[in-house]
Amino acid sequence: MLSAIQRELLQLISASEGLSRTELALRTGLSKAAMSAIVRDMLGAGLIIESDTMAGSGQGRPSVKLVMRAEAAYFVGISLNASAVRMVLINLWGEIICRHDFPLVNNPEILVEHIQQALPKLFQDGKITADQVLGIGVTLSGFIDENQATCVQSTLLGWRQVPLAKLLYQAIGIDVFIENDAKALAVSEKLYGHARSLNNFILVTHGDGIGSASFIHGQLYRGAHGGAGEIAHCTIEPGGTPCRCGKRGCLDTIASLIAIQEQAKAEQLAVEDLSQLETLAMNGSAQAIALLHRAGNALGLAMANLIQLQDPETLLLAHQPATFDGLLNTVVRQSLEAHVLPAFAGKTPLIRFTIEPDTWAHAAASVAAHRFLTPR
Ligand SMILES: [Zn+2]
């Protein structure tokens, strides 16, 4: 097991492009001699490797850069969506080694059995053994308790108070952490993605549902009950359309892909997806234009409120492929700019990226890697 200082060094190294012994000594306040001894142990244990040299500042000789060894640890990520389970194996650099899919069953006990049966195949494909896996992460759409152990509620899976981490640990014997999908993606962006150098950022996810998560002072903010970031159920239109949560006028009922599709259907527009709706709008359909304006305005307003509340360094928007290439994107940006305080306008960069088939499972594995690098 890692010592506290080894973890601290791995965290510092993982948030950088590599650091020298001198830089690590400076950042931790340890002497150069003490740092050399610790680094020697970590090199011996195969946790880090010496990478290329970097030019030293001033006259000194170039110093050797230390980076994490990709094969020092492996993590499994499991994403549960409406119809399928995807498992991926990642190394300490966050690279996906292999993946495995199977159909989802909602019964937690049977699901655990299926995961237990699938793991040996994943390890075999990854050419590793079970003892090289230091953690398993699971993502799903729903509320997760503050200990990342119990699914408090998931409408999608029809679950209430399911102690999934415990069930999996009892079956597999590897530490398991479960996490809400948006929060897991924020962790993965912090550890391996666009937010590596950011301490304060907000991630919004847009797809069939809408989610958000934020890092504050370098830490994922989970809220008092694990429910922080549920913007999908912020009321945007008081008294509006009934939502599956029991309220009315939630953001989800206006701007999610499912809501947009339902509104298009109600307007009797013959569209299969958002791209087709965008095409209709481009060809001048007043209904399509109005629909995209309504959704874009609502999403932009919610994002502006998030910026106003937290003043993040950057706002990340993760979305499905081909959904932010047209009018929706334009309206979201306009609405965002129109609803933040003029003093904030234009100050928060927006980074968009596409949700890929591996995104959620990779995010799940990142949660386990993050817990390994940043224990409580
Ligand atoms: Zn709602």
Side-chain angles (χ1 to χ4, degrees), residues 9-203:
L9 297 192
L10 284 179
Q11 269 177 267
L12 287 170
I13 292 170
S14 76
S16 72
E17 299 294 329
L19 292 169
S20 68
R21 289 169 176 79
T22 311
E23 284 169 320
L24 285 170
L26 274 173
R27 295 203 192 183
T28 53
L30 290 170
S31 70
K32 276 193 193 179
M35 186 52 65
S36 290
I38 296 164
V39 164
R40 193 166 52 238
D41 283 351
M42 289 175 74
L43 286 167
L47 291 167
I48 52 175
I49 47 170
E50 291 182 328
S51 178
D52 41 331
T53 54
M54 47 191 181
S57 55
Q59 308 284 317
R61 64 194 166 95
S63 49
V64 177
K65 206 157 81 164
L66 298 161
V67 295
M68 290 194 296
R69 190 169 152 259
E71 301 80 18
Y74 293 88
F75 304 92
V76 171
I78 304 172
S79 73
L80 312 178
N81 72 31
S83 58
V85 178
R86 170 157 291 196
M87 298 171 74
V88 297
L89 180 72
I90 67 166
N91 62 23
L92 199 48
W93 288 0
E95 295 167 334
I96 295 177
I97 312 296
C98 55
R99 60 183 65 70
H100 184 59
D101 294 340
F102 54 92
L104 175 78
V105 287
N106 285 30
N107 180 304
E109 281 80 18
I110 298 175
L111 175 67
V112 166
E113 272 176 37
H114 288 182
I115 291 172
Q116 190 182 9
Q117 286 158 8
L119 278 174
K121 165 134 183 56
L122 195 74
F123 299 158
Q124 194 186 344
D125 290 351
K127 299 183 173 60
I128 63 156
T129 51
D131 59 0
Q132 290 175 274
V133 176
L134 300 188
I136 296 178
V138 184
T139 56
L140 52 93
S141 160
F143 274 109
I144 308 303
D145 76 328
E146 58 270 36
N147 299 316
Q148 292 176 255
T150 298
C151 172
V152 177
Q153 189 186 351
S154 171
T155 313
L156 186 75
L157 298 166
W159 287 0
R160 266 181 189 278
Q161 300 295 346
V162 173
L164 187 65
K166 191 171 122 191
L167 294 174
L168 278 170
Y169 180 78
Q170 284 169 348
I172 298 161
I174 299 173
D175 285 337
V176 179
F177 306 100
I178 57 177
E179 188 55 285
N180 160 274
D181 44 18
K183 290 190 181 70
L185 188 52
V187 167
S188 145
E189 288 299 306
K190 171 70 182 156
L191 200 53
Y192 298 121
H194 301 91
R196 281 175 70 185
S197 61
L198 303 176
N199 280 318
N200 296 290
F201 69 94
I202 299 175
L203 165 76

